[in-house]
Amino acid sequence: MKHETDVILSTEGLGKSFDGLRANHDIDFTLRKTQVHALIGPNGAGKTTFVSMLIGRLEPTDGAIWFDGRNVTQMPAHKRVAAGMGYTFQITSVFARLSCHENVALAARRKQGGDAAKVEQVVADALSRVGLADRTADVAGDLSYGHQRLLEIAMGLASAPRLLILDEPTQGLAESEITAFKALIRELSAETTILLIEHNMSVVMELADEITVLNFGEVLARGTAAEIHANPAVQAAYLGTEAS
């Protein structure tokens, strides 16, 4: 496959089966640099399986994954992170007994090594960008679920990723926090590529440059927000009254 220079992530014929049951099948996917790309679909559509293969948590049954022109299909998850792929999970994965500062510092040290001054700068910047600058000393486990999601995004930012994959980032956020989150994504999209897996359709339609819809483990449609909103097959499978 010829890989275009403006493409940061792509898959070819990607598939995953569990004990003969097909979770993903023949997914061809392209994500362009500095794009906000949303992945949507009904529950059980195969989104989590697909993302788990992208980040190296699951090994594909079929197909290949390319990151910045390099075949990473067999690359372990930690090496994908080192190569510039950052992600947050649908279920928060913060270190509950550590402070917000310590959580983000762990991520920053992986990137900055022993440069303590640089680590402190990165931590302060990341917490500020997600609106947690006043929570730096708070224990992560004491935060609300929504604030834990924001902390996890700060941890992702601290690793300075070229691609940031956010799985249900607005889940548990208040409306005011969602507004701040949308502003953050617009700011980040100028410097990094974002893959957004999100159920909040107003967030998707407002932020995404392009949208891919999965259904029954396959790509149902791909296009701009306007094209997806108007697609009859997508309306029938997923959007329903939200598209009207």
Side-chain angles (χ1 to χ4, degrees), residues 102-112 122 154-159:
E102 290 166 328
N103 267 275
V104 181
L106 284 172
R109 287 189 197 106
R110 295 191 194 108
K111 188 74 176 179
Q112 307 300 334
V122 168
M155 293 165 68
L157 295 179
S159 65

Side-chain angles (χ1 to χ4, degrees), residues 121-210:
Q121 179 184 335
V122 168
V123 171
D125 181 61
L127 288 172
S128 176
R129 293 180 91 171
V130 302
L132 294 178
D134 59 343
R135 300 293 188 100
T136 182
D138 290 8
V139 175
D142 293 340
L143 298 177
S144 68
Y145 180 80
H147 283 158
Q148 288 186 30
R149 300 314 309 270
L150 293 174
L151 175 59
E152 198 179 34
I153 293 172
M155 293 165 68
L157 295 179
S159 65
R162 289 183 295 134
L163 167 62
L164 185 58
I165 300 173
L166 302 175
D167 194 354
E168 300 292 349
T170 67
Q171 186 176 316
L173 297 186
E175 280 302 316
S176 61
E177 293 169 335
I178 291 176
T179 300
F181 169 79
K182 289 188 287 190
L184 172 64
I185 294 302
R186 291 190 193 96
E187 177 189 334
L188 291 177
S189 65
E191 61 195 61
T192 191
T193 306
I194 295 168
L195 177 59
L196 190 65
I197 301 90
E198 180 60 67
H199 273 105
N200 187 321
M201 291 310 300
S202 66
V203 171
V204 168
M205 294 297 178
E206 191 172 330
L207 291 178
D209 300 305
E210 197 162 14

Side-chain angles (χ1 to χ4, degrees), residues 55 75-87 110-111 159-161:
I55 65 177
M75 181 182 286
H78 69 278
K79 289 191 175 180
R80 297 187 201 195
V81 171
M85 190 184 293
Y87 51 86
R110 295 191 194 108
K111 188 74 176 179
S159 65

Side-chain angles (χ1 to χ4, degrees), residues 80-107:
R80 297 187 201 195
V81 171
M85 190 184 293
Y87 51 86
T88 69
F89 301 108
Q90 187 172 354
I91 300 171
T92 57
S93 58
V94 300
F95 297 97
R97 295 185 179 183
L98 299 182
S99 70
C100 292
H101 179 281
E102 290 166 328
N103 267 275
V104 181
L106 284 172

